[in-house]
Amino acid sequence: MVNRKSRHHLAALALVGWYLMMPPDSPKIPHDVDADIPLARWVVVTSFDTEDNCEKALTDLQNNQQDPIALDKTGKLKRLQKNDAALGKARSLNAACVASDDIRLKATKSK
């Protein structure tokens, strides 16, 4: 029998989603990203219900060296499309799956 505390814990776990995120483009180096910037300033490309689904999508992107923006179904990231293969590769190789409740996402977004 599951006690009340366990049910609350299971419910909380069920609410955690996963973001496929990429660092912003480097302002200093053409065709590259700024992966050292705090995670709170990275770009959320899309979300997944499980870590496994996110990791599979990330692996596929990296194996194909495909720009993560290709997964954006909302059109919100269209402004970031640059048709730059080297930049797309840098984005995919530096992209990451991040839990939606990761404390690093709550850090300040200012410079």
Side-chain angles (χ1 to χ4, degrees):
M1 181 173 182
V2 178
N3 66 30
R4 178 177 276 186
K5 188 174 183 180
S6 293
R7 269 188 259 158
H8 288 297
H9 180 70
L10 290 173
L13 286 175
L15 296 177
V16 175
W18 288 84
Y19 298 133
L20 192 147
M21 300 181 72
M22 67 180 192
D25 299 346
S26 173
K28 298 176 183 171
I29 304 170
H31 319 290
D32 205 357
V33 295
D34 190 356
D36 294 328
I37 204 155
L39 196 60
R41 294 185 44 214
W42 283 34
V43 178
V44 175
V45 177
T46 192
S47 60
F48 296 88
D49 56 346
T50 67
E51 181 180 16
D52 286 344
N53 288 344
C54 187
E55 291 292 342
K56 181 182 180 330
L58 178 60
T59 298
D60 289 346
L61 280 174
Q62 291 174 337
N63 286 343
N64 296 317
Q65 298 180 356
Q66 182 181 12
D67 193 329
I69 290 179
L71 295 180
D72 173 38
K73 303 298 184 215
T74 67
K76 292 179 182 178
L77 301 180
K78 189 172 185 164
R79 62 185 168 75
L80 298 175
Q81 277 186 316
K82 298 189 176 158
N83 297 320
D84 179 339
L87 178 59
K89 179 179 178 180
R91 286 173 172 172
S92 71
L93 294 177
N94 288 281
C97 289
V98 180
S100 61
D101 65 348
D102 190 308
I103 191 75
R104 298 171 296 170
L105 296 175
K106 298 185 182 10
T108 180
K109 291 190 178 199
S110 62
K111 286 187 177 184

